Amino acid sequence: MKAQNCFHCGNDVIKSDQIIFDAKSFCCVGCKTVYEIFSQNDLICYYDFEKSPGTTPQDIKGKYEFLNDVKIVSRLLDFEENETHIVSLYIPNIHCSSCIWILENLQKLVSGISSSQVNFHEKKVRIVYNPDTTNLKTIVETLCSIGYEPYISLENYENKKQKTDRTLIYKIGVAFFSFGNIMLLSFPEYFEVGEFWIEQYKGFFRWLIFALALPPFFYSAWGYYISAWKSIKSKMLNIDIPIALGIVVMFVRSTVDIVFDYGQGFFDSMCGLIFFMLLGKLFQQKTYNFLSFERDYKSYFPIAITKINADGTEEPIQVYDIAKGNRLLIRNQELIPVDGILISPEASIDYSFVTGEAVAITKKSGDKVFAGGKQIGKVIEMEVLNSVSQSYLTQLWSNDVFQKRVEQKYKTITDTISRYFTPALLLLAFVSFGFWIFRDVTTAFNVFTAILIVACPCALALTAPFTLGNVLRIMGYRKLYLKNATVIEQMAKVDTIVFDKTGTITTNKKTSITYEGTELNPEELKLLKNTLKGSNHPLSRRLYDFIPNQEKIDATNFEEITGKGIFAQLDGHSVKLGSSQFLQHMSENTHKKTKVHVEIDGVYKGSYVFNNQYREGLEQLFENLAKKNNLVVLSGDNDGERKILEKMLPGNTTLVFNQKPEQKLQYIENLQKEGKNVMMIGDGLNDAGALAQSNIGISISENVNVFSPACDGILDAAQFSKIDFFMRFSKNAMKTIMMSFGLSLLYNVVGLSYAVTGNLLPIVAAIIMPLSTVTIVSFVTLMSNYYASKK
């Protein structure tokens, strides 16, 4: 019989837990409550757009008390006036048209909200509300109650309102306006239209063209003059020198033509060149601005935490105000923001993001707990040892080697070619000018100008930005979001790929559990399920979810021994669960595998083995990558799965276990000293140093907007098996650039051979130049799309 699905969230409904309401089936009270809220507020259309579009709301009791603090709220707002407050909230659960519809109808749920607008790509909702009628806490709690909990971190609190830099857009707009109008005003002279009125106003039109050319020359192209000047000062010839020189020569030559009535000049070609160059820069710059590639601990820390006062009262406190000696309350799934001493009897702390160790650690009263761990289970209390700035996690992030270098000493392919192209072009121009000046002064200036215009390296300079810009777009569409175009060039040179294990080649979403031993009958499964019900240990909870639903019975005696296991008496039977030492049963390699052993009525039954679920396509991916790359698996976890990995992965894969964050960094550094170009693929804070040290650091993430350390790129975890495609595509991108450079140089050789001999007028060169640019841009776009379509 097919299992029923929850009407709200689509999850399977277990018959014993099924809730029927309004002739519809729900998996829990939370989903039913959301349906009731929508029904009462005439928002039932939510379910018309997508089938079961919702998510189950989580318990948030007391979590957002800090939003009563006016100072904190003020820092979170985008706009604040007497009767109007505007806030932008990041909501990870936004995924379909139903989400957009309900979030843009929030005014029906909360009186005081005047409008709400969703940015689907950034998963953000912008809410405008009246603070006299409602407040941010009410809005956030309402969002949580309908399954759209916002993600609010310390980074939101710290971020100052940054103005968007639109300078490049303005420069392109100015260049395009002048380019279009100058082309229009130049047509009569191009086609030698001899109408009387045109001849009469020819002088006026020429000076109007001159006036229109001034803003692009002085404003739009200013960046190229600065870059060229800096390049000359540093004695490094880059591609911007001939570009800047070509623009200046065209401007001066055109001004001379107009002043002495020789012609209308080449202002249209000059403005066209500036426009296309800036367009290429914009295309390269327009990657995925909504992603953050430079995250630190503030992305993960809560804004505020609950402090317990001396009189026992609770109050929210901003994390920077936490002082040594404070007593804090940490709820389920909350991040511990500071180092401290555990006061509660026991706690389970998940340090996987800091250490890479997959299994949560059990702590007892009096044990030290470190910042960065996530509290799992019941509410705990702790006493603060260090403030946020002095805690282990903060110190780790602040370490220079853990920050991705912003300026890397890396020469792009365009810079490399320009080192030879620029001096050769300048030498040819001046030699040709020197040759012709003694024969014909007019021809000498024509030759000099034609050489600089026809060989103006705009085609060379545009090849890389347009190719790499298109590749960035295609990779982004395939869910690999790269920081900038230089990363593609570096990816093409990679010869060693290092993978983290936990969370990278394994996924925490599907932890497979297998049973080894004597088969358990239904009665024994019932005893086991009800024993696990009383435990908060992460392994107990995972095993509880794994065992099918059973009839509920109460334990007459229950004892959980921290770090060892559980003893319980139910329905006249005794049950022991836990480590092999606790059950006094020794089995092979017990310390190498994560196991929960089972004993019922003094008889050992067997054990449940917790195996990490490896990502789909892992074996094929490693097989493909091993053909051209050295492969390494670098893990902070124990070597319990060495034999499994040795069997799954190619024989030349290096496996290294028990690595601390600093050791991972050192390992990468040693590979680089051997001359390797290293790409590191990781997911957590424990990989941050290695990601920063590597030539390319790719952070793999189940959610590309959250939880990614400083890196060069963010890969959606669903695309893990496509890594070999991205590696091939980056190499093909460089092949496209080289082919394009070849075409461009061929065009330059042909054009220059005519220009040097005096057979190419500057006006003809000015017409050919933009045509070559369009040809090159079309070629690189078609080729990069072709390589993207190849399987």
Side-chain angles (χ1 to χ4, degrees):
M1 183 179 169
K2 192 180 176 183
Q4 274 193 299
N5 297 108
C6 176
F7 181 74
H8 176 71
C9 70
N11 290 342
D12 289 343
V13 179
I14 297 163
K15 199 165 185 180
S16 59
D17 294 337
Q18 186 178 21
I19 298 169
I20 303 293
F21 178 79
D22 204 9
K24 292 171 178 64
S25 178
F26 297 94
C27 64
C28 63
V29 175
C31 288
K32 169 184 165 282
T33 304
V34 177
Y35 174 81
E36 282 186 272
I37 292 169
F38 290 165
S39 184
Q40 288 163 9
N41 290 278
D42 195 25
L43 293 170
I44 214 72
C45 292
Y46 173 75
Y47 299 100
D48 295 341
F49 298 97
E50 301 279 340
K51 186 182 178 185
S52 304
T55 53
T56 306
Q58 303 299 313
D59 179 25
I60 52 128
K61 187 180 177 184
K63 187 173 178 180
Y64 294 102
E65 288 298 322
F66 65 86
L67 292 178
N68 287 325
D69 189 321
V70 178
K71 288 180 184 176
I72 291 176
V73 170
S74 183
R75 294 289 292 269
L76 294 174
L77 294 173
D78 296 335
F79 178 84
E80 187 176 8
E81 275 299 328
N82 293 335
E83 294 183 359
T84 305
H85 284 185
I86 301 175
V87 66
S88 294
L89 298 172
Y90 168 61
I91 300 178
N93 284 342
I94 294 175
H95 67 282
C96 68
S97 51
S98 290
C99 302
I100 297 170
W101 185 83
I102 194 66
L103 291 172
E104 292 194 344
N105 281 280
L106 288 177
Q107 68 274 11
K108 293 184 179 180
L109 290 175
V110 183
S111 60
I113 293 180
S114 53
S115 69
S116 51
Q117 188 175 11
V118 173
N119 182 328
F120 186 74
H121 292 292
E122 294 187 23
K123 295 195 173 185
K124 284 185 178 178
V125 60
R126 186 171 183 269
I127 300 169
V128 182
Y129 68 94
N130 186 337
D132 296 333
T133 312
T134 188
N135 56 55
L136 186 57
K137 184 187 171 192
T138 303
I139 293 169
V140 168
E141 288 180 343
T142 302
L143 286 168
C144 294
S145 72
I146 60 171
Y148 291 98
E149 183 175 359
Y151 180 79
I152 304 173
S153 71
L154 188 58
E155 191 175 42
N156 302 104
Y157 181 83
E158 289 242 308
N159 274 353
K160 303 291 184 289
K161 309 300 179 286
Q162 295 177 345
K163 290 184 178 178
T164 308
D165 185 5
R166 294 191 173 90
T167 309
L168 184 59
I169 302 290
Y170 298 149
K171 286 181 176 181
I172 290 171
V174 168
F176 182 68
F177 174 81
S178 296
F179 173 49
N181 281 287
I182 291 171
M183 283 286 288
L184 197 65
L185 293 168
S186 300
F187 275 143
E189 291 208 48
Y190 275 143
F191 296 109
E192 297 181 348
V193 178
E195 296 289 336
F196 168 75
W197 66 272
I198 289 177
E199 288 294 324
Q200 187 180 1
Y201 292 106
K202 186 162 66 176
F204 169 75
F205 282 134
R206 284 180 177 178
W207 284 107
L208 182 58
I209 287 170
F210 173 78
L212 285 167
L214 290 175
F217 179 73
F218 286 108
Y219 174 64
S220 299
W222 189 252
Y224 293 105
Y225 310 144
I226 298 294
S227 175
W229 176 243
K230 284 181 179 177
S231 176
I232 293 166
K233 277 174 71 179
S234 62
K235 297 177 183 177
M236 287 280 294
L237 298 178
N238 69 8
I239 203 84
D240 288 339
I241 292 174
I243 292 173
L245 190 60
I247 293 169
V248 171
V249 165
M250 278 195 274
F251 181 80
V252 172
R253 176 63 193 267
S254 301
T255 304
V256 169
D257 284 354
I258 288 175
V259 170
F260 294 102
D261 201 26
Y262 296 150
Q264 86 275 21
F266 322 109
F267 285 126
D268 51 347
S269 292
M270 183 196 80
C271 293
L273 166 66
I274 295 168
F275 169 68
F276 280 115
M277 293 299 303
L278 293 174
L279 197 63
K281 192 179 280 188
L282 178 70
F283 193 55
Q284 191 172 341
Q285 204 180 78
K286 275 284 179 186
T287 54
Y288 292 81
N289 298 328
F290 62 89
L291 297 173
S292 174
F293 295 93
E294 299 296 337
R295 288 205 166 99
D296 63 13
Y297 66 92
K298 295 164 195 164
S299 306
Y300 319 111
F301 271 31
I303 290 177
I305 206 81
T306 304
K307 175 186 170 186
I308 302 172
N309 296 318
D311 59 1
T313 57
E314 297 174 9
E315 66 165 323
I317 179 174
Q318 210 276 321
V319 291
Y320 283 134
D321 295 334
I322 296 172
K324 185 178 179 180
N326 284 164
R327 194 162 178 168
L328 304 180
L329 191 76
I330 312 291
R331 294 181 174 85
N332 182 31
Q333 298 296 316
E334 277 189 349
L335 199 80
I336 298 169
V338 289
D339 300 343
I341 298 290
L342 183 65
I343 295 171
S344 298
E346 63 179 53
S348 290
I349 313 291
D350 178 5
Y351 281 113
S352 60
F353 195 65
V354 180
T355 64
E357 179 63 55
V359 180
I361 295 167
T362 302
K363 295 282 185 180
K364 292 182 285 185
S365 183
D367 286 350
K368 190 172 182 181
V369 290
F370 292 98
K374 187 183 280 186
Q375 148 64 4
I376 297 173
K378 57 190 177 185
V379 174
I380 62 165
E381 291 181 22
M382 61 174 280
E383 186 175 314
V384 178
L385 284 178
N386 298 311
S387 64
V388 168
S389 60
Q390 296 299 315
S391 291
Y392 167 73
L393 184 70
T394 315
Q395 300 281 340
L396 195 59
W397 271 116
S398 302
N399 191 327
D400 288 341
V401 295
F402 275 60
Q403 302 306 315
K404 194 68 189 174
R405 301 166 301 287
V406 177
E407 290 184 23
Q408 299 183 3
K409 293 179 181 176
Y410 179 81
K411 289 192 182 305
T412 64
I413 191 166
T414 309
D415 290 337
T416 306
I417 286 182
S418 69
R419 281 178 60 200
Y420 304 102
F421 179 85
T422 302
L425 175 63
L426 295 176
L427 183 67
L428 182 65
F430 283 108
V431 168
S432 302
F433 179 78
F435 174 80
W436 283 102
I437 194 71
F438 300 109
R439 290 165 175 75
D440 186 339
V441 175
T442 306
T443 304
F445 277 101
N446 279 344
V447 167
F448 183 75
T449 310
I451 287 172
L452 286 174
I453 294 173
V454 78
C456 180
C458 58
L460 279 174
L462 282 174
T463 292
F466 271 89
T467 305
L468 299 176
N470 200 36
V471 170
L472 277 177
R473 181 187 63 79
I474 292 165
M475 284 188 171
Y477 181 73
R478 305 281 179 98
K479 297 185 179 179
L480 171 60
Y481 307 97
L482 298 180
K483 188 175 180 178
N484 53 46
T486 307
V487 178
I488 300 167
E489 295 186 41
Q490 290 171 295
M491 271 180 79
K493 294 186 174 185
V494 165
D495 54 29
T496 303
I497 305 176
V498 178
F499 290 87
D500 171 49
K501 185 177 82 72
T502 306
T504 301
I505 66 172
T506 66
T507 170
N508 296 326
K509 283 188 171 180
K510 300 176 186 172
T511 303
S512 71
I513 301 173
T514 53
Y515 177 73
E516 297 174 352
T518 310
E519 189 179 346
L520 299 171
N521 61 42
E523 182 65 25
E524 289 169 333
L525 283 172
K526 181 171 74 174
L527 294 170
L528 203 55
K529 178 90 171 178
N530 283 282
T531 300
L532 291 164
K533 183 174 66 175
S535 172
N536 270 323
H537 192 280
L539 291 180
S540 299
R541 292 209 324 279
R542 274 151 66 181
L543 188 53
Y544 179 82
D545 292 336
F546 175 75
I547 296 171
N549 266 27
Q550 304 290 331
E551 181 190 337
K552 291 175 183 175
I553 52 174
D554 293 325
T556 52
N557 184 22
F558 180 89
E559 186 182 0
E560 187 165 7
I561 301 155
T562 306
K564 292 185 178 180
I566 305 166
F567 173 75
Q569 288 180 315
L570 315 89
D571 209 16
H573 298 277
S574 65
V575 179
K576 279 178 88 173
L577 294 169
S579 65
S580 56
Q581 293 90 341
F582 180 57
L583 271 67
Q584 296 179 344
H585 173 86
M586 298 306 294
S587 62
E588 287 184 31
N589 294 327
T590 49
H591 65 290
K592 294 291 186 184
K593 286 185 179 180
T594 304
K595 288 185 176 183
V596 172
H597 296 265
V598 181
E599 182 182 298
I600 299 175
D601 293 331
V603 179
Y604 180 79
K605 295 291 182 179
S607 61
Y608 284 93
V609 184
F610 292 76
N611 301 304
N612 279 317
Q613 178 70 46
Y614 293 99
R615 291 196 185 274
E616 201 174 326
L618 175 68
E619 291 173 73
Q620 187 62 51
L621 171 66
F622 269 66
E623 193 178 313
N624 294 340
L625 291 173
K627 293 171 186 175
K628 293 185 179 179
N629 301 281
N630 303 310
L631 300 179
V632 180
V633 174
L634 196 62
S635 175
D637 215 339
N638 64 49
D639 64 347
E641 294 180 57
R642 180 184 288 276
K643 287 185 178 177
I644 300 169
L645 289 170
E646 283 174 350
K647 197 173 180 181
M648 287 177 67
L649 306 180
N652 60 347
T653 305
T654 306
L655 303 175
V656 186
F657 295 93
N658 298 306
Q659 295 291 292
K660 292 177 181 176
E662 311 86 63
Q663 292 172 315
K664 286 188 176 186
L665 186 150
Q666 190 62 50
Y667 189 92
I668 300 289
E669 200 172 4
N670 291 338
L671 286 174
Q672 290 170 325
K673 285 175 183 174
E674 293 171 15
K676 308 286 188 192
N677 274 298
V678 185
M679 180 164 88
M680 171 74 190
I681 302 174
D683 75 314
L685 174 58
N686 62 308
D687 303 316
L691 288 168
Q693 178 62 39
S694 58
N695 301 80
I696 300 286
I698 302 293
S699 174
I700 189 164
S701 180
E702 304 290 347
N703 183 335
V704 295
N705 294 79
V706 190
F707 294 137
S708 50
C711 57
D712 295 300
I714 301 172
L715 174 68
D716 190 302
Q719 303 301 309
F720 177 78
S721 60
K722 307 280 178 63
I723 290 171
D724 61 322
F725 162 78
F726 294 122
M727 298 302 293
R728 284 199 316 274
F729 191 33
S730 63
K731 287 179 170 63
N732 286 331
M734 302 317 294
K735 195 189 295 180
T736 300
I737 290 173
M738 296 312 295
M739 288 191 290
S740 179
F741 278 153
L743 272 177
S744 184
L745 290 170
L746 179 67
Y747 149 77
N748 276 314
V749 168
V750 174
L752 287 169
S753 63
Y754 281 96
V756 169
T757 55
N759 294 318
L760 186 68
L761 293 172
I763 185 72
V764 178
I767 293 168
I768 292 172
M769 185 262 293
L771 288 175
S772 73
T773 302
V774 171
T775 306
I776 292 295
V777 168
S778 302
F779 173 77
V780 299
T781 304
L782 286 170
M783 286 306 295
S784 52
N785 285 335
Y786 165 72
Y787 283 126
S789 65
K790 285 180 75 176
K791 289 184 181 178

